[in-house]
Amino acid sequence: MENIDNKRQLKRWRLILGDAAEDKINSMGGGFSLSAEELLMDSALSQIYGTDGFSGGSGNAGRGASSPKLTKWLGDLRSLFAPMEVKVIQRDAIEKKGLKQLLFEPEMLDGLEPDISTGALLLMLKDQIPKKAKDNAREFIRKIVEDINRRIADDLKRSVTAALNRREHSPIPSAAELDYRLTVRRNLKNYNPELKTILPEKFYFFERASKSASRTVILDIDQSGSMGESAIYSSVMGCILASINALKTHVVAFDTQVNDLTDMCTDPVDLLYGIQLGGGTDIEKSVAYCTGLIEEPVKTTMFLVTDLYEGGNRNGLIRRLSELKSSGVNIIVLLAISDSGKPCYDENLAQKIAEFDIPCFACPPEKLPELLERALKHQSLNDMMRQDK
């Protein structure tokens, strides 16, 4: 027992002093190795207290803070350390790595271009931002929301219209609702060679938009540290969809706890401030909650936005997803919604989930409208999945 306690103490000193002291400490304790979790903790601590940290420093605080690597690291702290330890490390990160100027000086935020990685960082550390800079931080987040809306809002709304309101045809003529493709196809037999044109006998029109919710969309969003960008895109998407009468939209965020943010969808900035980025992950608990929101499975599309690093019941998660799929719910696992390249995710769990014909892939933001339309139409996503590989 004494030898075990001695090694435990030596490991703590190794984590405190860093890898430069490893040989000396090993010689004192007869040798030991750090576990995978301890190596992750060592790496996290070295970013702040070691010689090789994140780029930044007081000279270029605003630039270095937007690093996606730093954003992920700050979020992961909550899953590695106790709450009091996290506060100390985050405070040191602000002091030592040039984040203080970004967080504490309103003028710094005013001069930054909207950047989603910086936005994710601000949302993670929002409780530490002083009162004088809170309004500027909120305005910075609003600029990001406006940028995302500019890029995808109109296309998302059009995709819903295309999926839900253009499945049936109406006898009421309307130039705006004319189905050109079907009209031409059905009237090809009426082609006039002399006039070199088609003389339609009948025109086909799409139904107008439904005034009441006919489909349900659930966005179940992982708010762990590695999902910062995805959480922002998902939340803004949820607010856009919540504004469409033809959909009944639910927005749920989770780490080890589940938060239903649906009532906050009227203001995407409020919704984003309701998300607590960073911490552990219990996906199974969140999927269980979302199951209770489903009234008509065959009319429900559920987007599970997560990297699948499950800290809860893995087998329970697989079982719940397979049951939802069997009931008729259209489930899609989005491993990331991001422009930051290939995501890091649990490949083993993704493969097991895919065996139930549940798509698992990353999606760039500009592809969200196409994804939504196909999902609502229950069309194959195989080509979108191939593009992700």
Side-chain angles (χ1 to χ4, degrees):
M1 178 64 72
E2 182 178 347
N3 187 45
I4 293 175
D5 289 339
N6 183 52
K7 285 194 173 183
R8 186 179 295 118
Q9 290 297 322
L10 289 174
K11 278 189 177 184
R12 291 178 65 85
W13 278 110
R14 162 64 183 81
L15 290 170
I16 292 169
L17 298 174
D19 59 2
E22 184 163 346
D23 291 342
K24 181 66 174 178
I25 292 174
N26 272 337
S27 67
M28 298 169 58
F32 62 85
S33 60
L34 298 178
S35 68
E37 182 178 8
E38 288 164 342
L39 285 171
L40 191 59
M41 294 173 70
D42 183 50
S43 175
L45 291 170
S46 70
Q47 304 301 328
I48 296 302
Y49 305 108
T51 56
D52 298 325
F54 296 108
S55 61
S58 59
N60 61 346
R63 307 284 179 197
S66 65
S67 164
K69 184 179 179 184
L70 176 57
T71 302
K72 178 184 183 304
W73 175 81
L74 285 170
D76 286 345
L77 283 180
R78 285 174 55 194
S79 64
L80 294 172
F81 300 97
M84 289 302 297
E85 294 169 340
V86 170
K87 289 182 180 180
V88 172
I89 296 170
Q90 286 187 342
R91 184 174 65 244
D92 286 348
I94 292 170
E95 296 286 346
K96 296 175 180 292
K97 294 301 174 180
L99 300 183
K100 185 172 182 178
Q101 187 178 5
L102 170 65
L103 294 173
F104 285 44
E105 299 299 329
E107 297 79 8
M108 191 69 188
L109 283 172
D110 291 341
L112 287 176
E113 288 297 318
D115 173 78
I116 197 163
S117 294
T118 304
L121 175 63
L122 285 172
L123 290 173
M124 284 180 195
L125 301 177
K126 60 181 182 289
D127 295 335
Q128 299 188 38
I129 299 175
K131 187 175 180 180
K132 68 176 182 178
K134 283 188 181 295
D135 288 343
N136 302 72
R138 192 177 180 88
E139 183 59 28
F140 186 83
I141 298 298
R142 186 172 296 281
K143 288 178 183 178
I144 294 173
V145 169
E146 290 172 353
D147 179 62
I148 295 173
N149 274 322
R150 230 178 352 256
R151 291 163 58 189
I152 67 173
D154 289 343
D155 287 339
L156 275 177
K157 292 176 181 179
R158 275 194 289 268
S159 70
V160 173
T161 300
L164 301 190
N165 304 317
R166 299 196 167 193
R167 298 174 67 88
E168 302 295 336
H169 286 84
S170 169
I172 303 173
S174 168
E177 303 298 329
L178 178 63
D179 185 342
Y180 291 97
R181 184 174 298 178
L182 184 63
T183 298
V184 170
R185 189 168 67 247
R186 294 281 179 87
N187 288 281
L188 284 174
K189 62 181 183 294
N190 300 315
Y191 179 77
N192 187 311
E194 295 180 5
L195 297 177
K196 296 183 178 180
T197 190
I198 294 173
L199 300 176
E201 289 181 351
K202 183 177 180 179
F203 292 87
Y204 296 85
F205 301 90
F206 293 118
E207 289 281 7
R208 290 186 177 275
S210 171
K211 294 184 178 180
S212 61
S214 60
R215 299 290 185 86
T216 297
V217 173
I218 299 173
L219 283 161
D220 194 18
I221 305 167
D222 187 338
Q223 56 184 2
S224 59
S226 58
M227 297 298 291
E229 292 186 31
S230 300
I232 292 176
Y233 279 119
S234 302
S235 299
V236 177
M237 177 181 173
C239 291
I240 295 168
L241 298 184
S243 70
I244 301 174
N245 290 332
L247 294 177
K248 183 176 183 180
T249 303
H250 298 277
V251 177
V252 176
F254 67 91
D255 42 35
T256 55
Q257 301 299 318
V258 180
N259 298 308
D260 194 326
L261 304 177
T262 303
D263 290 341
M264 304 176 74
C265 283
T266 53
D267 187 334
V269 178
D270 283 345
L271 190 149
L272 286 171
Y273 268 78
I275 285 180
Q276 300 294 327
L277 288 175
T281 311
D282 193 334
I283 310 172
E284 189 268 343
K285 181 188 290 187
S286 186
V287 172
Y289 176 84
C290 291
T291 300
L293 303 174
I294 298 170
E295 298 174 357
E296 297 182 85
V298 295
K299 293 186 177 181
T300 300
T301 297
M302 178 174 169
F303 294 100
L304 177 58
V305 186
T306 178
D307 53 16
L308 293 176
Y309 286 113
E310 173 64 301
N313 188 338
R314 288 170 64 94
N315 291 332
L317 171 62
I318 294 170
R319 186 186 68 255
R320 287 189 184 278
L321 289 176
S322 66
E323 289 173 351
L324 284 174
K325 181 69 176 180
S326 298
S327 72
V329 177
N330 188 23
I331 306 173
I332 297 160
V333 177
L334 295 180
L335 303 168
I337 304 174
S338 173
D339 294 310
S340 298
K342 293 291 183 182
C344 179
Y345 63 95
D346 188 325
E347 296 184 22
N348 182 261
L349 185 53
Q351 184 175 0
K352 289 182 178 179
I353 292 172
E355 290 174 359
F356 297 100
D357 197 27
I358 297 175
C360 298
F361 63 102
C363 182
E366 66 272 11
K367 289 287 186 180
L368 286 174
E370 179 186 353
L371 170 63
L372 180 63
E373 181 177 349
R374 291 191 182 196
L376 292 174
K377 288 181 175 179
H378 290 260
Q379 293 179 344
S380 172
L381 302 176
N382 287 338
D383 57 340
M384 297 187 76
M385 294 172 65
R386 283 194 294 269
Q387 292 171 14
D388 177 51
K389 294 181 179 179

